[in-house]
């Protein structure tokens, strides 16, 4: 700690910080541009100038850049000094000499860091009277708009895109003051994290194109604290709505999870909420067609079905909330509830929860990953299954430069010095997967192998680290050598993360990863585990504990049940079409969903469920963090005919009608409390967010900024009489601008913060006002509660997995089917978003290039693939690095469900 003096006042700060960060963390305002808490200081914009004095007797002082000066003990500075203020005012004038001043038509207006800083510095008069430099803009693809004339040349974009996120195709070009930030030529930005540019750029150069389609100002949106549904990582998001449409998703700061950044699937994949083909009223099938009915009719019909059924089974969903899954379980009975995973996938997810619950090694948060100095990725293509983990792993590699700088007493915010010192150095990451990945460039070593061989490598590494773990018989010399190299490197690290998951479709791979982590733990090393699972609430549904879809199917096939209730689940994504068709032909089908899936289209009764934007609920991430998402808006306010309710609300209602009893759950808290009471493993989920009773100075928390405009006119097309705002009985949030807002940011629990705003801070930089230190943790603690921690009584010598698989042997003419995933297209809901469509790869299958050559199959050739009796024709991709003997089936629209782990034959398709 250090004592610094700012404008005559004494403050205690972290002496390792620079003065800018230290002052911002104290709540003092200093304007800045090029500095960013995640990117460090480069001192290029000169906006953060303050006056620094030698000591208290120095009355002259000198201008310094606060982002480049250490917050050393005994520092004396002035922010308010007249010369410093005038300097800052001049700087912004220079920076804006070429700026078009087009705020009224700029999409950044109203949440613009440049606007905020202009007001903060007091720059009000424009003296520059000459022709401004102008640029041509580029088409950067479906996600990002480009308006280069607004650039102030702070260089944040390239520092973020290239240095932090590892992108290659955005750069700075030009000479002298004519600098251009963009691509070498028009084209789609390649980084999976390009969307963060919209928040990193302090002006309106990079904007969210999905929002441009239906644009409105930030202050005119209604927000809710929410959780991304795009994968199992559970990034915190701030979705914004206007006129009953979701208009944009921005990052919501969580110091333990995503902190400043999202991936592009999470940011741009929300369009499924607005799709017009969604069920927005309950429906019943009459004469082969789904027609709308009232809520009461739907509940009555469903209740009658339940009462007259010979047997009812319920299939839950890893993309639905805990409360909704529990409501289904309650409706059909625990014995008749199935958790919504396909058998093989469900078994893998259960193994993941077991490893995390019973083993001695904790799950890593994203922040936890970033603090490691070595990583071993076994079997998981995280860029495509848990993208934000890939970005965190990049920070592991970059950490070596920071460490090298620290050894030379260079602080961690000196971005240029660190980049120079560590230019050619990375912390070690080993990546062992079935095919090439988008983060291979980070790797000290990459390995391509079939799942069984990946598992054998993992087992071998673990055995070298701790010989008490299972040995691998008949290991080839090259793998043994490699295992030794990996083991020695991991043992030499201060903190290691082991990354694996369900992506390889192999329990052996998960077990091997667990063995490596446990072996390191047994050797006294600090280690954490990242185990990616398929969907946003896969872990939550596994904790509820039930059998898989296949068991539900068997009950219907055996005639034990004749009625099936499906919760937010498209069965055609979980089982072969022929089997699903046969099962549905034998059962009366009730579906509760917010999407018109192939399953929903066959329902006899369809309940119109709320998506995450119209519903409240709790999810458990792969970190074991229970997090609450809240309803963003009430759709019936804008379209009175709409009848959308949370799935748990519908299902609980059906139960009440069937039993002839009043509903027991009056609000979300009742549902959450009952889940917690009945499910010991979920006992703490109520702590994920404050209850509906929570108030600050007697007020609910406003979902709308206090400048929200047009409220009285929003429904004028329906009636000039403004109705009462919708009332939210479920939460402590109000559908209103009235209530507690961001003015007293610190009072508000992070789990209930819908958007960030503070006086003078309208841009995403205002999140700095919600944290204990800038870039640190949310005031009052980060949102969510970890409900999975290593068992307190876990034995020192762990119960190592010991089923070492035999080595994979390719069979002539047959290929082992493995799944492959893509960040755009493999997740069910985001794949339905319009802006995603041009980023989703075309349906295909992939073979190792040499295997394809041996079959005489050219890249792009149409091939016939036969797997378990199912034949499909798809174009072939030759992959140079896919392990030989494997056939990769992508999880993409247009590719039918196939069982992975089976055998496939491939031949040229007739007519190709
Ligand atoms: S485009 Fe934005 S982030 Fe990049 S240099 Fe210009 S103002 Fe800064
Ligand atoms: S990493 Fe996953 S949870 Fe995070 S933003 Fe991307 S899709 Fe959403
Ligand atoms: S923020 Fe300090 S020089 Fe740019």
């Amino acid at each position: 700690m250090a004592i610094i003096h700012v404008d005559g006042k004494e403050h205690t700060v972290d002496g390792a910080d620079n003065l800018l960060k230290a002052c911002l963390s104290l709540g003092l305002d200093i304007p800045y541009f090029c500095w960013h808490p995640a990117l460090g200081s480069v001192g290029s914009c000169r906006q953060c100038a303050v006056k620094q004095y030698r000591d208290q007797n120095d009355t002259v002082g000198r201008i310094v850049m606060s982002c480049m000066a250490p917050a050393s003990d005994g520092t004396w500075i002035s922010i308010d000094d007249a010369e410093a203020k005038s300097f800052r005012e001049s700087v912004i004038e220079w920076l804006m000499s070429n700026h078009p001043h087009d705020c009224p038509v700029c999409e950044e207006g109203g949440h613009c860091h440049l606007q905020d800083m202009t007001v903060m510095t007091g720059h009000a008069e424009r003296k520059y009277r000459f022709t401004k430099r102008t640029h041509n803009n580029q088409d950067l693809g479906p996600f990002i708009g480009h308006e280069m004339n607004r650039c102030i040349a702070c260089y944040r974009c390239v520092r973020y895109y290239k240095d932090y996120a590892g992108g290659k195709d955005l750069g700075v070009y030009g000479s002298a003051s004519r600098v251009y930030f963009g691509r070498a030529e028009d084209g789609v930005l390649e980084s999976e994290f390009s969307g963060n540019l919209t928040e990193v750029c302090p002006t309106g150069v990079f904007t969210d194109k999905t929002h441009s389609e239906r644009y409105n100002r930030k202050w005119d949106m209604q927000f809710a604290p929410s959780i991304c549904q795009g994968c199992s990582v559970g990034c915190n998001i701030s979705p914004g709505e206007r006129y009953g449409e979701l208009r944009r998703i921005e990052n919501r700061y969580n110091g333990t999870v995503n902190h400043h950044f999202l991936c592009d699937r999470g940011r741009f994949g929300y369009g499924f909420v607005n799709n017009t083909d969604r069920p927005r009223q309950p429906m019943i099938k009459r004469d082969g067609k789904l027609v709308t009915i009232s809520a009461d009719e739907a509940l009555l019909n469903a209740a009658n079905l339940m009462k007259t059924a010979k047997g009812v089974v319920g299939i839950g969903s890893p993309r639905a909330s805990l409360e909704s899954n529990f409501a289904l379980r309650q409706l059909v009975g625990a014995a008749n509830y199935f958790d919504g995973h396909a058998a093989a996938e469900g078994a893998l997810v259960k193994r993941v929860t077991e490893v995390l619950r019973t083993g001695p090694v904790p799950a890593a948060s994203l922040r936890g990953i970033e603090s490691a100095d070595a990583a071993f990725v076994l079997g998981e293509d995280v860029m495509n299954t848990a993208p934000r983990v890939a970005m965190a792993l990049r920070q592991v590699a970059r950490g070596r430069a920071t460490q090298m700088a620290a050894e030379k007493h260079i602080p961690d915010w000196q971005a240029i010095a660190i980049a120079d010192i560590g230019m050619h150095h990375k912390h070690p990451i080993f990546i062992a997967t079935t095919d090439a990945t988008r983060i291979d460039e980070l790797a000290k070593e990459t390995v391509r192998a079939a799942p069984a061989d990946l598992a054998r490598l993992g087992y071998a590494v673990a055995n070298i680290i701790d010989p008490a773990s299972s040995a691998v018989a008949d290991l080839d010399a090259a793998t043994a050598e490699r295992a030794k190299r990996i083991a020695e490197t991991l043992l030499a690290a201060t903190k290691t993360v082991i990354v694996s998951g369900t992506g390889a479709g192999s329990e052996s791979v998960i077990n091997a990863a667990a063995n490596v982590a446990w072996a390191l733990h047994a050797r006294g090393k600090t280690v954490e585990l990242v185990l990616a699972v398929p969907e946003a609430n896969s872990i939550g549904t596994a904790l509820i504990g039930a059998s898989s879809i296949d068991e539900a199917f068997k009950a219907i096939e055996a005639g034990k049940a004749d009625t099936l209730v499906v919760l937010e689940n498209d069965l055609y994504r979980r089982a072969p079409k022929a089997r699903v068709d046969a099962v549905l032909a034998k059962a009366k089908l009730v579906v509760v969903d917010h999407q018109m899936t192939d399953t929903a289209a066959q329902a006899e009764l369809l309940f119109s469920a709320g998506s995450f934007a119209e519903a409240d609920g709790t999810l458990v991430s792969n970190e074991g963090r229970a997090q609450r998402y809240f309803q963003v808006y009430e759709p019936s306010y804008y379209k009175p005919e709409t009848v959308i309710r949370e799935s748990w609300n519908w299902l609980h209602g059906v139960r009440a009608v069937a039993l002839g009893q009043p509903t027991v759950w009056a609000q979300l808290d009742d549902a959450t409390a009952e889940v917690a009471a009945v499910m010991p493993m979920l006992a703490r989920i109520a702590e994920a967010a404050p209850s509906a009773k929570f108030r600050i100075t007697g007020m609910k928390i406003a979902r709308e900024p206090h400048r929200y405009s047009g409220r009285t006119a929003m429904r004028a097309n329906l009636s000039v009489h403004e109705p009462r705002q919708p009332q939210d009985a479920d939460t402590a949030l109000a559908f209103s601008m009235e209530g507690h807002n961001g003015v007293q940011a610190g009072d508000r629990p992070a789990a209930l913060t819908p958007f960030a705003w503070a006086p003078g801070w309208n841009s995403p930089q205002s999140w700095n006002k919600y944290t204990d230190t800038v870039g640190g943790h949310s005031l009052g603690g980060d949102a969510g509660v970890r409900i999975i921690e290593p068992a307190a009584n876990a034995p020192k010598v762990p119960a190592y997995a010991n089923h070492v698989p035999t080595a994979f042997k390719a069979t002539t003419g047959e290929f082992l089917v493995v799944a492959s995933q893509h960040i755009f297209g493999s997740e069910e809901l985001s794949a339905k978003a319009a802006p995603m469509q041009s980023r989703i790869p075309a349906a295909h299958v992939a073979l190792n290039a040499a295997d394809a050559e041996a079959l005489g199959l050219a890249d792009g050739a149409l091939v016939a693939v036969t797997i378990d009796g199912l034949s499909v024709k798809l174009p072939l991709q030759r992959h140079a690095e896919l392990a030989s003997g494997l056939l990769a089936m992508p999880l993409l629209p247009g590719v039918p469900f196939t069982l992975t782990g089976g055998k496939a034959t491939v031949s040229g398709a007739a007519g190709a």
Side-chain angles (χ1 to χ4, degrees):
M1 300 310 273
I3 306 282
I4 64 167
H5 305 263
V6 184
D7 289 310
K9 280 200 188 133
E10 186 177 299
H11 299 276
T12 304
V13 298
D14 184 346
D17 284 344
N18 59 59
L19 283 170
L20 174 60
K21 184 176 173 192
C23 288
L24 292 173
S25 295
L26 290 169
L28 304 171
D29 288 346
I30 301 178
Y32 63 91
F33 284 117
C34 63
W35 178 81
H36 183 286
L39 307 178
S41 308
V42 291
S44 70
C45 72
R46 321 312 279 171
Q47 188 58 68
C48 64
V50 296
K51 183 73 78 67
Q52 181 165 15
Y53 303 93
R54 207 173 43 247
D55 53 35
Q56 65 267 50
N57 301 317
D58 179 3
T59 53
V60 180
R62 64 192 178 102
I63 295 282
V64 298
M65 296 308 123
S66 59
C67 72
M68 297 300 286
S72 325
D73 202 32
T75 297
W76 290 74
I77 58 166
S78 170
I79 300 170
D80 288 343
D81 171 77
E83 197 186 355
K85 282 167 93 172
S86 152
F87 185 96
R88 295 195 297 261
E89 193 181 333
S90 303
V91 167
I92 209 155
E93 188 172 357
W94 307 330
L95 288 174
M96 291 183 70
S97 55
N98 282 302
H99 188 80
H101 295 244
D102 61 340
C103 303
V105 296
C106 175
E107 290 181 18
E108 195 78 353
H111 72 142
C112 175
H113 186 54
L114 177 60
Q115 281 181 333
D116 289 348
M117 298 302 98
T118 307
V119 174
M120 196 176 284
T121 56
H123 165 57
E125 192 193 341
R126 179 179 163 184
K127 302 193 196 80
Y128 182 77
R129 302 196 179 285
F130 308 100
T131 308
K132 295 197 178 205
R133 170 212 63 200
T134 58
H135 300 282
N136 291 327
N137 300 317
Q138 294 182 319
D139 182 347
L140 299 176
F143 299 152
I144 304 288
H146 192 221
E147 175 44 84
M148 248 310 287
N149 294 331
R150 298 179 185 137
C151 178
I152 57 165
C154 72
Y155 283 70
R156 258 193 188 188
C157 53
V158 283
R159 289 174 55 222
Y160 159 73
Y161 194 90
K162 296 174 86 157
D163 302 345
Y164 192 93
K168 304 277 184 299
D169 60 327
L170 183 97
V172 50
Y173 306 92
S175 65
S177 68
R178 293 182 299 280
V179 288
Y180 188 89
F181 296 84
R183 298 184 83 251
E185 55 187 7
D186 282 31
V188 177
L189 280 174
E190 286 164 9
S191 168
E192 291 82 355
F193 307 99
S194 67
N196 297 310
L197 286 171
T198 66
E199 296 188 41
V200 166
C201 174
T203 80
V205 175
F206 299 106
T207 50
D208 178 343
K209 247 189 198 173
T210 69
H211 186 204
S212 311
E213 297 288 315
R214 300 177 307 282
Y215 179 75
N216 52 266
R217 297 288 182 207
K218 173 179 177 175
W219 68 71
D220 276 343
M221 275 190 275
Q222 179 164 262
F223 301 91
S226 192
I227 305 300
C228 178
Q229 318 271 314
C231 79
S232 62
V233 175
C235 295
N236 289 205
I237 55 170
S238 175
E241 170 268 355
R242 181 84 173 166
Y243 290 116
E245 282 180 351
L246 213 54
R247 295 280 173 97
R248 183 182 82 186
I249 283 181
E250 277 205 327
N251 185 67
R252 189 165 65 94
Y253 192 90
N254 184 317
T256 307
V257 190
N258 46 300
H259 49 93
H260 302 279
F261 305 122
L262 300 174
C263 81
D264 286 357
R265 177 195 279 178
R267 186 183 293 270
F268 300 121
Y270 63 86
F272 66 91
V273 172
N274 299 332
N275 281 353
T276 50
D277 65 349
R278 278 185 57 184
R280 289 174 195 271
Q281 284 168 269
M283 293 172 150
I284 195 165
K285 195 155 271 170
R286 289 193 183 128
D287 301 328
K289 277 192 182 154
L290 281 168
V291 294
T292 56
I293 51 174
S294 71
D296 286 347
E297 268 182 283
L299 291 170
L300 203 58
N301 272 289
N304 285 338
L305 268 180
M306 299 297 122
K307 285 194 279 191
T308 56
K310 185 172 149 202
V312 184
V313 291
I315 293 180
S317 173
R319 70 163 158 90
S321 68
L322 288 174
E323 290 84 354
S324 295
N325 275 287
F326 184 78
L328 176 63
R329 183 180 181 271
Q330 223 185 20
L331 174 68
V332 299
N336 303 313
Y337 164 79
F338 300 89
D339 83 357
H341 287 109
E345 193 174 73
L348 298 179
V349 177
K350 284 202 176 84
R351 181 59 189 148
V352 164
T353 53
E354 226 170 65
V355 164
L356 295 178
R357 282 184 46 248
T358 61
V361 172
S365 66
L366 288 177
R367 274 299 177 104
I369 299 171
E370 290 172 2
S371 63
D373 59 355
F376 181 23
V377 180
L378 190 63
E380 195 72 18
D381 178 4
V382 281
M383 184 64 92
N384 289 313
T385 60
R388 196 56 187 75
V389 171
M391 186 184 236
L393 283 172
R394 186 169 294 281
Q395 310 323 310
V396 173
R398 295 179 72 224
R400 176 70 185 126
T402 312
Q403 188 188 54
M404 289 169 73
E407 285 157 11
K408 297 185 183 328
H409 306 291
I410 294 170
D412 63 4
W413 43 265
Q414 280 280 15
I416 300 283
I418 291 171
D420 284 351
I421 287 172
M423 196 179 292
H424 304 296
H425 301 272
K426 296 185 201 108
H427 276 322
I429 299 180
F430 297 92
I431 300 180
T433 44
T434 53
D435 201 351
T437 77
R438 289 268 291 164
I439 54 168
D440 285 347
E441 62 176 26
L442 302 176
K444 186 176 169 73
E445 218 171 301
T446 58
V447 183
R448 306 289 170 236
D453 293 340
L454 296 174
R456 287 167 65 82
L457 172 67
Y459 272 107
V461 172
N463 180 251
I464 295 166
I465 295 169
D466 181 4
S469 72
S470 308
V472 182
D474 311 321
L475 200 63
D476 63 90
T479 306
E481 265 308 302
R482 179 175 283 138
K484 188 161 171 283
R485 285 196 297 276
I486 297 173
E488 282 170 357
T489 308
L490 301 186
L491 277 168
T494 311
K495 177 182 174 183
T496 303
V497 280
I498 307 299
V499 181
S500 189
T502 57
S506 160
E507 191 163 328
S508 296
V509 167
I510 296 168
N511 287 338
N515 270 17
V516 178
W518 295 348
L520 284 165
H521 174 82
R523 289 285 302 269
K525 305 300 295 182
T526 303
V527 56
E528 292 182 348
L529 258 171
V530 181
L531 296 172
V533 291
E535 286 163 82
N537 201 23
S538 286
I539 296 281
T541 42
L543 290 176
I544 288 178
S547 304
S548 71
I549 276 180
D550 297 57
E551 298 305 314
F553 285 2
K554 280 182 200 160
I556 292 168
E557 285 161 347
K560 290 184 193 149
D562 61 352
T563 301
L564 173 61
V565 185
V566 176
L567 164 68
E568 299 184 34
N569 206 332
D570 184 3
L571 305 180
Y572 291 95
R573 290 177 64 89
R574 314 270 179 192
K577 182 176 183 311
R579 185 161 189 215
V580 179
D581 284 344
V583 167
L584 296 188
K586 291 188 83 174
K588 296 191 182 81
L589 178 64
V590 179
V591 173
V592 187
D593 208 338
H594 47 84
Q595 299 296 310
M596 190 55 90
T597 64
D598 290 345
T599 305
Q602 301 205 42
E604 294 190 22
L605 249 182
L606 174 57
F607 284 94
S608 40
S611 69
F612 77 94
E614 302 117 350
D616 313 303
T618 311
L619 306 173
V620 186
S621 72
N622 68 354
E623 186 209 334
R625 178 174 292 268
Q627 302 191 98
R628 186 95 13 94
Y629 61 92
F630 293 101
Q631 186 176 358
V632 185
Y633 63 102
E634 172 48 54
S636 63
Y637 185 71
Y638 307 97
K639 293 197 176 88
E641 71 279 10
T642 307
V643 186
I644 287 180
R645 296 179 185 168
E646 291 95 346
S647 296
W648 54 262
N649 197 322
W650 282 125
L651 291 164
H652 190 66
V654 173
R655 181 168 184 263
V657 176
L659 293 174
Q661 293 172 354
T663 51
V664 179
W665 298 347
Q667 57 187 170
L668 174 77
D669 290 336
D670 298 331
T672 307
E674 191 159 351
V675 178
V678 175
M679 304 271 152
M681 278 186 269
L682 299 169
R684 292 186 61 208
I685 61 167
E687 297 166 40
S691 76
K693 293 199 187 87
F694 180 85
R695 297 288 182 277
I696 300 177
T697 55
M699 287 185 290
K700 281 194 151 202
I701 290 163
R703 282 180 168 92
E704 297 163 1
H706 62 239
R707 286 178 66 194
Y708 192 84
S709 62
R711 188 177 97 174
T712 51
M714 290 184 80
R715 288 177 89 260
N717 60 325
L718 303 174
S719 164
V720 291
H721 303 289
E722 188 200 358
R724 193 176 181 214
Q725 287 295 108
Q727 301 302 297
D728 186 356
D730 286 323
T731 76
L733 297 148
F735 293 111
S736 174
M737 70 185 104
E738 288 146 22
H740 186 274
N741 59 37
V743 181
Q744 311 101 321
D747 301 333
R748 185 190 294 179
L752 289 181
T753 301
F755 60 91
W757 181 85
W761 298 86
N762 297 288
S763 79
Q765 306 294 314
S766 47
W767 285 112
N768 291 341
K769 296 284 179 184
Y770 291 73
T771 49
D772 51 6
T773 58
V774 170
H777 296 282
S778 300
L779 287 164
D782 291 322
V785 56
R786 270 176 70 120
I787 60 169
I788 303 179
E789 295 290 358
N793 53 358
K796 173 78 177 146
V797 179
Y800 287 115
N802 55 14
H803 298 294
V804 182
T806 53
F808 172 71
K809 278 197 181 60
T811 324
T812 313
E814 264 191 349
F815 296 90
L816 177 71
V817 183
V818 292
S820 68
Q821 298 215 27
H822 198 273
I823 179 172
F824 306 124
S826 292
E827 192 278 321
E828 178 186 1
L829 300 177
S830 56
K832 294 173 187 283
M836 286 282 152
Q837 301 311 311
S838 65
R839 300 296 308 273
I840 297 177
H844 64 273
V845 291
L847 285 178
N848 170 277
D851 290 348
E853 183 67 31
L855 292 174
L857 298 171
D859 200 43
L862 193 66
V863 294
V865 181
T866 306
I867 308 166
D868 298 324
L870 173 86
S871 282
V872 284
K873 286 182 187 173
L874 288 166
L876 176 76
Q877 282 188 6
R878 285 179 169 206
H879 286 191
E881 294 195 42
L882 177 64
S884 178
L886 306 187
L887 174 119
M889 287 293 282
L891 191 55
L892 287 174
V895 180
F897 174 88
T898 37
L899 290 168
T900 54
K903 293 283 183 178
T905 57
V906 185
S907 60

